[in-house]
Amino acid sequence: MSLQGSTDSVKRAMASMDPEEVKRTGNEQYKRGHFGDALKLYDRAISMCPGNASCHSNRAAALIATGRLTEAIRECEEAVRLDPTYWRAHQRLGVSVSQVKTIFFWQVEEAQKHIFSSGQQLDHAESQKLQAIERHLGRCASARKIGDWKNALRETGAAIAAGADSSTLLLASKAEALLQLHRLKEADSVLSTTSKLETAPPHPRRRRSACSQARIFTSSEPKFESAVACAERAAQLDPQSAEVAAVLGNVKSVVRARSRGNELFNSGRFTEASVAYGEGLKVDPSNPVLYCNRAACWSKLGQWEKSIEDCDEALIIHPNYTKALLRRAASNAKLERWAEAVQDYEVLRNDLPGDIEVAEALSHAQISLKKSRGEEASSLKFGGKVVEISGPEQFRAALSLPGVSVAHFVSALNQQCLQMSPFLDTLSTKYPSVNFLKVDVDESPEIAGAESIRIVPTFKIYRNGSRVKEMICPSRQVLECSVRHYGL
């Protein structure tokens, strides 16, 4: 049938008042791989005859074909409810792993029951997959009971790899294990995947996803206020669960402690605020937001050591926590621990390249570090610039300056040189203790000859006039590592 003929057939069926004709046309579209049209037709047939088990089962097949697995199981369950002897609905509900690559809600035994109810037999490979998933799930459950989150994560991943990659409960359990291991970004990413799969109405077994989300949100400042809503959703999904009740109580306590601490902090009552945040940490001792907020209190009170300790705790849990890095760097600067301050400010400079305050703080820390080592710091500057060299005399004078100089040998016609030049500007701001020079080999052939430059871009690093390193066409990472090594 032509595309136009197929379209006309769908239009006629959608206008028909005969549910069997509509279903038959849906079956034709399904066989042709037109699953969207098939779904529309099955929806039409079900609206006219909602008690037809065959229509629900066929709709499930189209949903499976489009990857909407959670909706498919709902349709299969409805078909089985309408006709408990309908073998095809049983078969689709317990469909083989190779066909849909999932075991819904960990119910391996349930899947097997429906497969056997349909009168079908699993082949050896399918049976092995089911057994492997069941084995991994058992090990995961055992690991969860004793708090062995590394093994729980490993077994969860193995079950997913074995075929259960669309189980919302299994993905929620993976997120839970990642959360317990303080891998917050990964946990949040897994929960995002879980939410995309959850298109069916709320199911009690989804409480673990909501519980994990609530815990993650209390560990993430932008999402903190949504934590209680997630925990309350978990309670609605499974109101009898003691685990959910405990999570809801803990989340509410943490949110109250943070809100009270913020109120006291904003009123200038820093000691009381630190106590309030501490009360929250008694409930959730792995909460990076509360540690970071309490660190701010210690900073205001001039207790720099305590501030660093709390920032350390926050960064163990959330390694890229910007606020904790800022507070730790500032506290180290107050204690004149310049090497530690420089290290944190360099990380922040990479994460916040446009932040002038961070750049200035880094420059100050670098200069102070040089001075603390008894090194020459008079030539240091903030937001340095790349000096363009026009002749041999200027080049020799630049190299005679104390400290480290980086010479970039370029050609205006070379594309790689053009790409590296803006990066050199960035480095000059980031490492103000280093003198950056640019030499155009076409305009200064005498310098190029004296320095034996044959390929561009070439970089040479000098210390007090003596060359210490040469790099030909280096990557940005290699160049920056070398600048950092010789510049500090």
Side-chain angles (χ1 to χ4, degrees):
M1 183 183 294
S2 67
L3 179 61
Q4 183 60 48
S6 177
T7 303
D8 292 342
S9 175
V10 171
K11 287 181 178 178
R12 283 195 301 272
M14 289 296 289
S16 173
M17 297 303 295
D18 181 358
E20 285 300 318
E21 179 187 352
V22 177
K23 184 181 76 169
R24 185 169 57 254
T25 306
N27 294 346
E28 291 171 359
Q29 296 302 313
Y30 176 86
K31 290 175 183 177
R32 294 191 179 96
H34 302 164
F35 303 120
D37 286 336
L39 279 171
K40 287 194 296 186
L41 289 161
Y42 293 141
D43 286 342
R44 168 78 172 147
I46 289 170
S47 69
M48 290 188 288
C49 190
N52 188 308
S54 174
C55 288
H56 286 284
S57 179
N58 289 5
R59 186 173 189 272
L63 288 166
I64 289 171
T66 56
R68 294 160 63 181
L69 304 176
T70 309
E71 291 177 83
I73 196 171
R74 187 181 65 196
E75 290 297 333
C76 287
E77 287 173 339
E78 179 63 13
V80 169
R81 186 188 69 78
L82 292 168
D83 184 357
T85 66
Y86 189 30
W87 71 269
R88 192 180 293 277
H90 282 289
Q91 181 189 39
R92 285 176 178 148
L93 188 54
V95 68
S96 66
V97 175
S98 64
Q99 189 175 5
V100 291
K101 301 192 301 180
T102 187
I103 297 298
F104 295 103
F105 308 119
W106 291 21
Q107 298 301 301
V108 177
E109 292 182 5
E110 190 74 9
Q112 290 173 328
K113 181 188 77 175
H114 286 290
I115 288 171
F116 295 134
S117 295
S118 70
Q120 304 297 301
Q121 293 293 324
L122 288 172
D123 62 30
H124 182 65
E126 301 285 344
S127 180
Q128 282 191 322
K129 284 184 180 180
L130 278 173
Q131 290 171 11
I133 291 171
E134 192 168 21
R135 189 164 56 249
H136 291 306
L137 295 179
R139 291 172 183 167
C140 180
S142 298
R144 285 186 73 248
K145 286 179 181 177
I146 61 174
D148 183 358
W149 299 109
K150 286 187 178 180
N151 271 325
L153 180 61
R154 180 162 47 249
E155 295 299 333
T156 302
I160 290 171
D165 59 349
S166 294
S167 166
T168 52
L169 181 62
L170 196 52
L171 288 168
S173 294
K174 182 178 180 180
E176 178 187 38
L178 288 165
L179 175 63
Q180 295 291 346
L181 294 169
H182 306 317
R183 292 159 64 176
L184 302 183
K185 281 190 176 180
E186 293 171 80
D188 203 11
S189 175
V190 170
L191 282 177
S192 297
T193 301
T194 306
S195 64
K196 291 175 185 176
L197 292 172
E198 290 182 354
T199 53
H203 192 291
R205 296 188 184 97
R206 294 193 193 142
R207 62 177 172 76
R208 188 169 300 160
S209 175
C211 283
S212 296
Q213 202 164 27
R215 289 177 177 134
I216 289 171
F217 282 5
T218 58
S219 299
S220 171
E221 248 178 309
K223 300 177 180 179
F224 206 104
E225 302 306 327
S226 304
V228 172
C230 289
E232 288 176 341
R233 181 161 65 92
Q236 291 170 357
L237 294 174
D238 196 352
Q240 304 304 316
S241 170
E243 178 191 6
V244 172
V247 170
L248 178 58
N250 288 350
V251 167
K252 283 185 174 180
S253 295
V254 170
V255 170
R256 278 197 302 270
R258 189 228 190 188
S259 297
R260 178 60 177 158
N262 289 355
E263 181 183 320
L264 292 165
F265 184 91
N266 292 332
S267 300
R269 296 156 67 182
F270 305 121
T271 301
E272 293 171 75
S274 71
V275 172
Y277 294 133
E279 290 299 316
L281 286 167
K282 290 178 183 177
V283 177
D284 184 2
S286 296
N287 191 291
V289 175
L290 295 179
Y291 277 118
C292 191
N293 286 8
R294 192 169 68 175
C297 297
W298 301 136
S299 294
K300 290 292 186 180
L301 294 167
Q303 298 186 42
W304 314 115
E305 291 282 5
K306 285 188 174 182
S307 178
I308 291 169
E309 287 174 8
D310 273 352
C311 288
D312 286 343
E313 293 293 336
L315 289 164
I316 288 171
I317 301 162
H318 190 346
N320 298 315
Y321 195 178
T322 300
K323 281 190 176 180
L325 280 168
L326 281 167
R327 284 172 184 157
R328 187 171 71 178
S331 295
N332 274 315
K334 290 290 186 180
L335 294 171
E336 298 186 357
R337 296 175 181 170
W338 301 115
E340 290 87 346
V342 166
Q343 188 174 12
D344 281 344
Y345 281 129
E346 283 186 344
V347 173
L348 289 162
R349 186 69 171 140
N350 282 328
D351 293 343
L352 307 169
D355 193 310
I356 298 300
E357 289 185 7
V358 170
E360 289 180 344
L362 172 60
S363 175
H364 173 71
Q366 288 174 326
I367 291 170
S368 299
L369 177 60
K370 288 282 187 183
K371 289 181 177 178
S372 71
R373 293 172 174 172
E375 298 175 14
E376 174 61 47
S378 60
S379 63
L380 303 187
K381 69 283 182 190
F382 164 68
K385 62 180 181 179
V386 179
V387 177
E388 295 194 9
I389 300 298
S390 57
E393 291 295 327
Q394 185 188 8
F395 184 64
R396 285 193 290 270
L399 295 187
S400 68
L401 292 172
V404 173
S405 299
V406 176
H408 180 201
F409 296 91
V410 305
S411 171
L413 302 177
N414 184 283
Q415 189 62 34
Q416 195 171 353
C417 292
L418 295 175
Q419 291 172 350
M420 288 296 282
S421 288
F423 184 61
L424 203 69
D425 292 334
T426 300
L427 293 181
S428 71
T429 299
K430 191 171 179 180
Y431 300 96
S433 61
V434 178
N435 300 307
F436 289 88
L437 316 172
K438 183 186 289 187
V439 181
D440 190 316
V441 297
D442 299 318
E443 294 182 2
S444 302
E446 187 178 345
I447 299 175
E451 295 293 323
S452 302
I453 304 300
R454 295 182 176 82
I455 299 174
V456 291
T458 289
F459 291 85
K460 292 190 178 187
I461 300 179
Y462 305 83
R463 176 175 283 159
N464 299 325
S466 300
R467 190 182 70 217
V468 293
K469 189 174 181 67
E470 179 175 352
M471 294 166 284
I472 298 173
C473 303
S475 67
R476 293 186 176 192
Q477 183 179 8
V478 168
L479 177 60
E480 182 167 5
C481 283
S482 299
V483 170
R484 184 187 300 114
H485 175 72
Y486 290 102
L488 292 180

